[in-house]
Amino acid sequence: MEALIAYLEGIDPILAALLATLFTWALTAAGAGLVFFFKTMNRAVLDGMLGFTGGVMVAASFWSLLAPGIEMSPGEGFVKVIPAAVGFLLGALFIFGLDKVLPHLHINFKESEKEGIETPWRRTTLLTLAITLHNIPEGLAVGVLFGGVAAGFEGATVGGAVALALGIGLQNFPEGFAVAMPLRRFGLSRRKSFMYGQSSALVEPIAGVLGAWAVLTFQPILPYALSFAAGAMIFVVVEEVIPETQLDRYTDIATLGFIGGFIIMMILDVGLG
Protein backbone atom coordinates (compact mmCIF):
# COMPACT_ATOMS: atom_id res chain seq x y z
CA MET A 1 0.00 0.00 0.00
CA GLU A 2 2.86 2.41 0.81
CA ALA A 3 4.37 1.71 -2.62
CA LEU A 4 1.05 2.48 -4.30
CA ILE A 5 0.68 5.76 -2.41
CA ALA A 6 4.26 6.73 -3.29
CA TYR A 7 3.63 5.95 -6.95
CA LEU A 8 0.45 8.05 -7.07
CA GLU A 9 2.25 10.92 -5.35
CA GLY A 10 4.83 10.96 -8.13
CA ILE A 11 2.53 11.12 -11.17
CA ASP A 12 0.24 13.75 -12.67
CA PRO A 13 -2.79 14.20 -10.36
CA ILE A 14 -5.26 13.97 -13.25
CA LEU A 15 -3.67 10.66 -14.28
CA ALA A 16 -3.81 9.52 -10.64
CA ALA A 17 -7.51 10.40 -10.50
CA LEU A 18 -8.09 8.51 -13.74
CA LEU A 19 -6.29 5.39 -12.47
CA ALA A 20 -8.16 5.47 -9.15
CA THR A 21 -11.56 5.79 -10.80
CA LEU A 22 -10.71 3.14 -13.39
CA PHE A 23 -10.12 0.90 -10.36
CA THR A 24 -13.58 1.69 -8.97
CA TRP A 25 -15.09 1.00 -12.40
CA ALA A 26 -13.17 -2.30 -12.64
CA LEU A 27 -14.67 -3.51 -9.36
CA THR A 28 -18.13 -2.63 -10.67
CA ALA A 29 -17.37 -4.72 -13.74
CA ALA A 30 -16.11 -7.57 -11.54
CA GLY A 31 -19.33 -7.49 -9.54
CA ALA A 32 -21.43 -7.44 -12.70
CA GLY A 33 -19.38 -10.40 -13.95
CA LEU A 34 -20.93 -12.58 -11.24
CA VAL A 35 -23.99 -12.77 -13.49
CA PHE A 36 -22.09 -15.40 -15.49
CA PHE A 37 -21.93 -17.68 -12.42
CA PHE A 38 -25.25 -17.16 -10.61
CA LYS A 39 -28.83 -17.49 -11.83
CA THR A 40 -30.56 -15.52 -9.09
CA MET A 41 -29.73 -13.19 -6.22
CA ASN A 42 -31.30 -13.50 -2.80
CA ARG A 43 -33.29 -10.40 -1.83
CA ALA A 44 -31.72 -10.37 1.63
CA VAL A 45 -28.27 -10.28 0.03
CA LEU A 46 -29.34 -7.43 -2.26
CA ASP A 47 -30.68 -5.35 0.63
CA GLY A 48 -27.54 -6.03 2.65
CA MET A 49 -25.39 -4.92 -0.29
CA LEU A 50 -27.39 -1.73 -0.76
CA GLY A 51 -27.14 -1.01 2.97
CA PHE A 52 -23.35 -1.50 2.77
CA THR A 53 -23.24 0.94 -0.15
CA GLY A 54 -25.11 3.54 1.88
CA GLY A 55 -22.80 3.12 4.87
CA VAL A 56 -19.68 3.59 2.76
CA MET A 57 -21.10 6.70 1.08
CA VAL A 58 -22.16 8.36 4.36
CA ALA A 59 -18.81 7.64 6.05
CA ALA A 60 -16.89 8.86 3.00
CA SER A 61 -18.97 12.02 2.93
CA PHE A 62 -17.78 13.00 6.39
CA TRP A 63 -14.33 11.45 6.87
CA SER A 64 -13.03 11.94 3.32
CA LEU A 65 -14.84 15.08 2.18
CA LEU A 66 -16.57 17.30 4.72
CA ALA A 67 -13.96 17.12 7.49
CA PRO A 68 -10.99 17.90 5.19
CA GLY A 69 -13.06 20.60 3.46
CA ILE A 70 -13.76 22.36 6.74
CA GLU A 71 -10.16 21.93 7.91
CA MET A 72 -8.72 23.65 4.83
CA SER A 73 -11.24 26.51 4.80
CA PRO A 74 -9.96 29.94 5.88
CA GLY A 75 -11.27 31.86 8.87
CA GLU A 76 -12.63 30.75 12.23
CA GLY A 77 -15.99 29.82 13.73
CA PHE A 78 -19.01 30.30 11.51
CA VAL A 79 -16.88 31.77 8.72
CA LYS A 80 -14.79 28.59 8.50
CA VAL A 81 -17.79 26.34 7.91
CA ILE A 82 -19.49 28.49 5.24
CA PRO A 83 -17.69 26.88 2.24
CA ALA A 84 -18.69 23.41 3.48
CA ALA A 85 -22.31 24.45 4.00
CA VAL A 86 -22.57 26.14 0.60
CA GLY A 87 -20.83 23.30 -1.25
CA PHE A 88 -22.92 20.66 0.51
CA LEU A 89 -26.16 22.41 -0.45
CA LEU A 90 -25.07 22.89 -4.07
CA GLY A 91 -24.09 19.22 -4.37
CA ALA A 92 -27.46 18.07 -3.08
CA LEU A 93 -29.29 20.48 -5.40
CA PHE A 94 -27.20 19.27 -8.35
CA ILE A 95 -28.29 15.64 -7.86
CA PHE A 96 -31.82 16.80 -7.08
CA GLY A 97 -31.92 18.49 -10.48
CA LEU A 98 -30.51 15.43 -12.27
CA ASP A 99 -32.99 13.23 -10.41
CA LYS A 100 -35.88 15.28 -11.77
CA VAL A 101 -34.58 15.35 -15.35
CA LEU A 102 -32.71 12.08 -15.97
CA PRO A 103 -35.11 9.19 -16.67
CA HIS A 104 -34.33 6.32 -14.30
CA LEU A 105 -35.85 3.47 -12.31
CA HIS A 106 -34.56 2.22 -8.96
CA ILE A 107 -33.73 -1.45 -8.53
CA ASN A 108 -36.57 -2.49 -6.23
CA PHE A 109 -39.24 -0.21 -7.70
CA LYS A 110 -42.06 -0.97 -10.13
CA GLU A 111 -41.93 0.38 -13.67
CA SER A 112 -44.82 2.72 -12.87
CA GLU A 113 -42.55 4.39 -10.28
CA LYS A 114 -39.89 5.52 -12.73
CA GLU A 115 -38.60 9.07 -12.25
CA GLY A 116 -37.41 11.90 -14.47
CA ILE A 117 -38.87 13.11 -17.75
CA GLU A 118 -41.18 10.80 -19.67
CA THR A 119 -39.39 8.54 -22.09
CA PRO A 120 -40.06 5.37 -24.09
CA TRP A 121 -36.73 3.90 -22.94
CA ARG A 122 -36.80 0.31 -21.78
CA ARG A 123 -36.67 -0.69 -18.12
CA THR A 124 -33.13 -2.04 -18.52
CA THR A 125 -31.86 1.37 -19.61
CA LEU A 126 -33.70 3.13 -16.79
CA LEU A 127 -32.21 0.78 -14.19
CA THR A 128 -28.70 1.40 -15.51
CA LEU A 129 -29.23 5.15 -15.45
CA ALA A 130 -30.34 4.97 -11.81
CA ILE A 131 -26.98 3.48 -10.76
CA THR A 132 -25.13 5.87 -13.08
CA LEU A 133 -26.70 8.70 -11.08
CA HIS A 134 -25.20 7.14 -7.90
CA ASN A 135 -21.74 7.02 -9.44
CA ILE A 136 -21.35 10.64 -10.56
CA PRO A 137 -20.58 12.06 -7.08
CA GLU A 138 -18.35 9.09 -6.25
CA GLY A 139 -16.02 9.68 -9.20
CA LEU A 140 -16.11 13.42 -8.58
CA ALA A 141 -15.09 12.96 -4.96
CA VAL A 142 -12.00 10.89 -5.83
CA GLY A 143 -10.90 13.36 -8.50
CA VAL A 144 -11.37 16.38 -6.27
CA LEU A 145 -9.23 14.83 -3.54
CA PHE A 146 -6.35 14.07 -5.93
CA GLY A 147 -6.60 17.62 -7.27
CA GLY A 148 -6.44 18.97 -3.73
CA VAL A 149 -3.29 17.00 -2.98
CA ALA A 150 -1.56 18.38 -6.07
CA ALA A 151 -2.65 21.90 -5.18
CA GLY A 152 -0.95 21.51 -1.80
CA PHE A 153 -3.99 21.98 0.41
CA GLU A 154 -3.49 20.98 4.02
CA GLY A 155 -5.79 18.12 4.93
CA ALA A 156 -5.79 16.60 1.42
CA THR A 157 -3.55 13.53 1.21
CA VAL A 158 -2.93 10.82 -1.34
CA GLY A 159 -3.59 8.29 1.41
CA GLY A 160 -7.01 9.82 1.96
CA ALA A 161 -7.75 9.76 -1.77
CA VAL A 162 -6.64 6.11 -1.99
CA ALA A 163 -8.82 5.23 1.02
CA LEU A 164 -11.80 6.86 -0.66
CA ALA A 165 -11.16 5.00 -3.92
CA LEU A 166 -10.85 1.70 -2.02
CA GLY A 167 -14.08 2.30 -0.13
CA ILE A 168 -15.99 3.26 -3.24
CA GLY A 169 -14.51 0.29 -5.08
CA LEU A 170 -15.61 -2.09 -2.32
CA GLN A 171 -19.19 -0.90 -2.49
CA ASN A 172 -19.12 -0.83 -6.30
CA PHE A 173 -18.49 -4.58 -6.42
CA PRO A 174 -21.87 -5.60 -4.95
CA GLU A 175 -23.48 -2.66 -6.74
CA GLY A 176 -22.40 -4.08 -10.11
CA PHE A 177 -23.96 -7.42 -9.18
CA ALA A 178 -27.09 -5.65 -7.94
CA VAL A 179 -27.54 -4.06 -11.38
CA ALA A 180 -26.68 -7.05 -13.54
CA MET A 181 -28.86 -9.64 -11.79
CA PRO A 182 -32.19 -7.79 -12.11
CA LEU A 183 -31.42 -7.21 -15.77
CA ARG A 184 -30.84 -10.94 -16.19
CA ARG A 185 -34.14 -11.58 -14.45
CA PHE A 186 -35.88 -9.29 -16.96
CA GLY A 187 -34.78 -11.58 -19.77
CA LEU A 188 -31.49 -10.11 -20.97
CA SER A 189 -28.66 -12.45 -21.84
CA ARG A 190 -25.79 -12.81 -19.37
CA ARG A 191 -23.53 -10.86 -21.71
CA LYS A 192 -25.95 -7.94 -22.06
CA SER A 193 -26.65 -7.93 -18.32
CA PHE A 194 -22.91 -7.70 -17.68
CA MET A 195 -22.44 -4.93 -20.24
CA TYR A 196 -25.23 -2.83 -18.74
CA GLY A 197 -23.98 -3.50 -15.21
CA GLN A 198 -20.40 -2.43 -15.83
CA SER A 199 -21.40 0.55 -17.97
CA SER A 200 -23.18 2.14 -15.02
CA ALA A 201 -19.76 3.02 -13.53
CA LEU A 202 -18.11 4.35 -16.70
CA VAL A 203 -19.13 7.82 -15.58
CA GLU A 204 -16.75 7.60 -12.60
CA PRO A 205 -13.47 8.04 -14.55
CA ILE A 206 -15.05 10.95 -16.43
CA ALA A 207 -16.21 12.64 -13.23
CA GLY A 208 -12.87 11.90 -11.54
CA VAL A 209 -10.82 13.57 -14.27
CA LEU A 210 -13.17 16.57 -14.36
CA GLY A 211 -12.99 16.92 -10.58
CA ALA A 212 -9.18 16.88 -10.50
CA TRP A 213 -8.94 19.29 -13.43
CA ALA A 214 -11.42 21.73 -11.87
CA VAL A 215 -9.54 21.91 -8.57
CA LEU A 216 -6.16 22.34 -10.27
CA THR A 217 -7.55 25.07 -12.51
CA PHE A 218 -9.57 26.90 -9.84
CA GLN A 219 -7.76 26.08 -6.60
CA PRO A 220 -9.91 28.22 -4.25
CA ILE A 221 -12.94 26.02 -5.00
CA LEU A 222 -11.48 22.94 -3.28
CA PRO A 223 -13.36 23.27 0.07
CA TYR A 224 -16.54 23.88 -1.90
CA ALA A 225 -15.82 20.99 -4.28
CA LEU A 226 -15.21 18.49 -1.47
CA SER A 227 -18.45 19.46 0.23
CA PHE A 228 -20.26 19.48 -3.13
CA ALA A 229 -19.36 15.81 -3.60
CA ALA A 230 -20.43 15.06 -0.03
CA GLY A 231 -23.81 16.75 -0.51
CA ALA A 232 -24.37 14.86 -3.74
CA MET A 233 -23.58 11.50 -2.10
CA ILE A 234 -25.76 12.14 0.95
CA PHE A 235 -28.67 13.09 -1.32
CA VAL A 236 -28.27 9.80 -3.21
CA VAL A 237 -28.18 7.78 0.03
CA VAL A 238 -31.24 9.41 1.60
CA GLU A 239 -33.36 9.74 -1.53
CA GLU A 240 -32.48 6.47 -3.26
CA VAL A 241 -30.24 3.93 -1.53
CA ILE A 242 -31.96 3.71 1.86
CA PRO A 243 -35.54 3.67 0.49
CA GLU A 244 -34.59 0.79 -1.81
CA THR A 245 -33.63 -1.30 1.24
CA GLN A 246 -36.93 -0.70 3.04
CA LEU A 247 -39.34 -2.30 0.59
CA ASP A 248 -39.11 -5.86 1.92
CA ARG A 249 -38.72 -7.71 5.21
CA TYR A 250 -34.92 -7.55 5.31
CA THR A 251 -34.60 -4.08 6.78
CA ASP A 252 -32.47 -5.32 9.70
CA ILE A 253 -29.98 -6.91 7.29
CA ALA A 254 -29.84 -3.67 5.31
CA THR A 255 -29.22 -1.70 8.52
CA LEU A 256 -26.40 -4.02 9.58
CA GLY A 257 -24.94 -3.73 6.08
CA PHE A 258 -25.03 0.05 6.47
CA ILE A 259 -23.20 -0.15 9.80
CA GLY A 260 -20.58 -2.46 8.32
CA GLY A 261 -20.00 -0.20 5.33
CA PHE A 262 -19.66 2.86 7.57
CA ILE A 263 -17.13 1.16 9.85
CA ILE A 264 -15.00 -0.13 6.97
CA MET A 265 -14.90 3.27 5.26
CA MET A 266 -14.06 5.01 8.55
CA ILE A 267 -11.20 2.58 9.23
CA LEU A 268 -9.82 2.97 5.70
CA ASP A 269 -9.91 6.75 5.81
CA VAL A 270 -8.40 7.14 9.28
CA GLY A 271 -5.85 4.37 8.70
CA LEU A 272 -4.66 5.59 5.31
CA GLY A 273 -5.46 9.29 5.51
Side-chain angles (χ1 to χ4, degrees):
M1 185 61 68
E2 291 181 359
L4 173 62
I5 292 175
Y7 170 74
L8 293 174
E9 286 176 337
I11 65 175
D12 182 85
I14 294 179
L15 176 59
L18 176 62
L19 293 176
T21 47
L22 283 174
F23 165 77
T24 62
W25 161 79
L27 284 185
T28 304
L34 293 178
V35 75
F36 292 107
F37 305 100
F38 296 92
K39 294 182 178 180
T40 60
M41 181 170 63
N42 186 281
R43 178 58 186 268
V45 174
L46 174 61
D47 286 346
M49 288 178 173
L50 291 174
F52 180 86
T53 293
V56 168
M57 293 175 74
V58 169
S61 295
F62 175 74
W63 296 99
S64 299
L65 302 172
L66 278 175
I70 293 172
E71 181 181 343
M72 64 184 62
S73 297
E76 299 293 337
F78 288 112
V79 174
K80 191 174 183 64
V81 79
I82 286 176
V86 172
F88 191 87
L89 176 62
L90 291 177
L93 291 176
F94 172 70
I95 298 297
F96 173 78
L98 285 182
D99 190 65
K100 297 303 179 185
V101 175
L102 183 70
H104 61 284
L105 177 67
H106 303 307
I107 295 172
N108 291 327
F109 283 62
K110 301 176 181 178
E111 192 162 3
S112 60
E113 298 176 298
K114 62 184 180 182
E115 301 178 8
I117 60 175
E118 286 296 323
T119 175
W121 293 348
R122 298 175 61 183
R123 187 173 188 177
T124 52
T125 303
L126 297 176
L127 280 168
T128 305
L129 287 174
I131 302 301
T132 300
L133 191 63
H134 291 195
N135 290 330
I136 292 173
E138 295 172 3
L140 182 65
V142 174
V144 164
L145 267 182
F146 275 108
V149 173
F153 279 87
E154 185 178 355
T157 66
V158 170
V162 169
L164 180 60
L166 282 174
I168 289 174
L170 285 174
Q171 61 95 18
N172 275 3
F173 181 80
E175 196 172 74
F177 189 41
V179 179
M181 283 307 300
L183 297 179
R184 175 63 177 159
R185 191 169 64 245
F186 296 151
L188 268 67
S189 67
R190 284 186 168 87
R191 181 178 176 276
K192 285 188 176 180
S193 298
F194 166 76
M195 293 303 295
Y196 273 102
Q198 62 84 27
S199 67
S200 66
L202 286 175
V203 70
E204 289 192 4
I206 298 171
V209 168
L210 287 176
W213 172 83
V215 169
L216 287 172
T217 306
F218 309 102
Q219 292 186 16
I221 72 168
L222 181 59
Y224 296 91
L226 289 170
S227 303
F228 181 97
M233 287 208 286
I234 292 297
F235 184 94
V236 167
V237 171
V238 176
E239 203 272 340
E240 299 178 8
V241 177
I242 291 178
E244 288 173 21
T245 68
Q246 305 300 303
L247 300 177
D248 212 305
R249 63 183 184 276
Y250 303 110
T251 56
D252 288 345
I253 293 176
T255 302
L256 291 174
F258 182 98
I259 297 299
F262 189 98
I263 291 172
I264 288 174
M265 186 65 237
M266 179 176 64
I267 291 172
L268 283 173
D269 191 86
V270 174
L272 294 176

